[in-house]
Amino acid sequence: AALDKLTLPACGVTYPTPCAYHLTSSSVLLFDMMQDYVSCVERLPALAPDAVSRLGLLLKHFNSRSCQLVLGAGAMHTAGLKAITAAHLAVAAQSLRALAHFLPILCERLAQLLTQKQAAVLGVLTEARQALLDHADEINAKIVAIMTDRFYFFMQGVQGAYDEAFSGAAGR
C-alpha cells in the first residue's frame, strides 16, 4: 500500500507526507491501532498514561519483530520466502520511516490530551521513534551492501569480458 497522506479522524486532520511511503500491510494495521489508542486517550483520560505507555510498547515490539523478520531472516521461515530481497528490505525500511515520520504528529496530539504530569509518559514514544529510525538505517545499510556486492559482481563480469576481448585481439 502506498501512503502519501495520513488521515487521523481522532485528530480531525490529514497530514501530507514528504514522499509517498510504500507500506507493509502490518504497518497499515499498526496505523489503525495507533488511531485506536488516540481514541482511547480521548474517551478515557484517566487511562491515558497507561494507554500511551502500552502504545510505546506496541511500537517497540513491532520494531523488534520486523527486525527479526527482515534482518534476522525470520520471514524466510515464517512466510516461506526463499530469500529476502532488496525490495523486501526497501518496503520494510519505508514502513518504519513512515511510522517514525508520524510519531511526532501523534505525540503532539496526545500532548494536547494529557495533563502536564501525564505528558512525561510521551518519552516512551520518542524512544520508540528513535528505535524505528535506527532500524530503518540498519536496513538501508543492508540494501547498500547488497547493491555494492551486485555492482562488484557485475564489474568483475565486465572486466572479464574486457580482458577476454582484448587478449584475443592481441593474439591475432
Side-chain angles (χ1 to χ4, degrees), residues 16-97:
T17 63
C19 62
Y21 290 102
H22 297 277
L23 303 177
T24 60
S25 56
S26 59
S27 297
V28 173
L29 290 172
L30 185 57
F31 273 112
D32 288 341
M33 292 170 76
M34 290 165 62
Q35 177 62 37
D36 291 341
Y37 275 92
V38 172
S39 296
C40 179
V41 169
E42 286 178 331
R43 293 184 180 122
L44 302 166
L47 297 178
D50 189 46
V52 172
S53 66
R54 289 182 188 271
L55 175 58
L57 290 173
L58 175 66
L59 289 166
K60 287 179 181 179
H61 180 72
F62 179 86
N63 185 48
S64 172
R65 188 67 179 137
S66 62
C67 183
Q68 291 169 357
L69 290 173
V70 177
L71 292 176
M76 291 174 59
H77 304 290
T78 58
L81 297 175
K82 291 182 182 176
I84 295 175
T85 66
H88 293 125
L89 293 171
V91 172
Q94 286 249 320
S95 293
L96 296 175
R97 289 205 184 279

